[in-house]
Amino acid sequence: FYRTRLKIYIIKEKNKFPKPYSFIAWNLRNPLFQDVKTRTALSYLIDYKKINDTVYYNLYTQSTSPFGSFTENSDPELRKNGKMITFDRNKALNLLKEAGWQNDGSGVLFKEVNGKKILFEFTLDINSNVPARLKIAQIIKETYKNSGIKVNIRSTEWNSFLESVNKRKFEALILGWSGTLFP
């Protein structure tokens, strides 16, 4: 913006370059995350609006593509009503039930996998140098808890975190990417 005498003019320019985005990576080698219905349910259990309001002060847009939601590389159909994944606990619980997750009243869902009873409990890794990721992890932990999923948050410094990522020694993690002009 610039000022001339007593009037202030604001110029709003729409930047179509890809923006950075945060995401959760699920280690698909872990039996907890191998079923697509389970992963989809986990997506419906994330309160995107709460994260945007409380962590990003309502300045971000929910991403629909790793290429940037508003670039030519992202399908505009994904942004239409009914296409975006939004917080929907009932839909998530139905998907979890379809995926075989059961509730025995203990507070944590369970499932039989390869003849063994496994609880729906996992560690969500974050790197300690990005405070926003801790806030996101805490919001996720709370909403998952209310649906029978136990999340343990582990925060490590960047080099240790990166080593876990590179060696695939994680169950789930929060990370971010920056877009490029030519994806």
Side-chain angles (χ1 to χ4, degrees):
F1 71 92
Y2 59 93
R3 184 179 172 148
T4 60
R5 301 233 177 212
L6 297 175
K7 294 182 181 179
I8 297 176
Y9 297 91
I10 298 174
I11 299 171
K12 185 173 182 179
E13 188 69 30
K14 186 164 184 162
N15 182 345
K16 292 191 177 193
F17 293 119
K19 309 292 187 281
Y21 64 93
S22 295
F23 63 92
I24 298 177
W26 310 107
N27 189 335
L28 300 184
R29 293 178 184 155
N30 186 323
L32 292 177
F33 309 120
Q34 290 178 349
D35 186 282
V36 68
K37 288 182 181 180
T38 298
R39 295 192 309 273
T40 304
L42 292 172
S43 295
Y44 279 111
L45 284 175
I46 295 173
D47 194 340
Y48 302 96
K49 181 171 176 11
K50 184 175 184 177
I51 290 170
N52 192 25
D53 290 348
T54 60
V55 178
Y56 297 119
Y57 305 104
N58 214 19
L59 296 172
Y60 278 47
T61 302
Q62 185 178 342
S63 183
T64 58
S65 165
F67 301 113
S69 296
F70 300 104
T71 66
E72 294 174 7
N73 300 305
S74 178
D75 185 356
E77 287 290 314
L78 296 174
R79 294 187 294 278
K80 290 187 175 179
N81 280 342
K83 294 283 187 171
M84 294 280 288
I85 291 180
T86 57
F87 180 70
D88 188 334
R89 188 171 184 270
N90 290 332
K91 189 179 273 190
L93 292 176
N94 286 334
L95 284 167
L96 289 170
K97 191 174 187 177
E98 288 176 24
W101 293 99
Q102 301 172 44
N103 185 348
D104 64 0
S106 67
V108 179
L109 296 174
F110 73 93
K111 175 178 180 174
E112 294 285 330
V113 176
N114 299 327
K116 294 169 102 177
K117 179 180 176 179
I118 59 168
L119 296 176
F120 207 148
E121 177 178 359
F122 65 91
T123 299
L124 180 59
D125 286 310
I126 59 169
N127 57 308
S128 59
N129 61 320
V130 182
R133 293 193 184 139
L134 177 58
K135 292 177 186 176
I136 293 168
Q138 290 167 334
I139 291 168
I140 289 169
K141 179 179 180 171
E142 189 60 34
T143 56
Y144 281 17
K145 178 183 175 186
N146 293 335
S147 300
I149 301 167
K150 185 175 180 185
V151 176
N152 305 301
I153 299 170
R154 180 173 51 203
S155 177
T156 55
E157 58 85 25
W158 178 247
N159 288 333
S160 296
F161 178 80
L162 198 56
E163 184 177 337
S164 297
V165 172
N166 290 334
K167 292 183 177 180
R168 307 294 193 263
K169 291 187 176 185
F170 65 90
E171 294 179 302
L173 58 84
I174 298 176
L175 195 54
W177 287 105
S178 293
T180 64
L181 208 50
F182 304 104

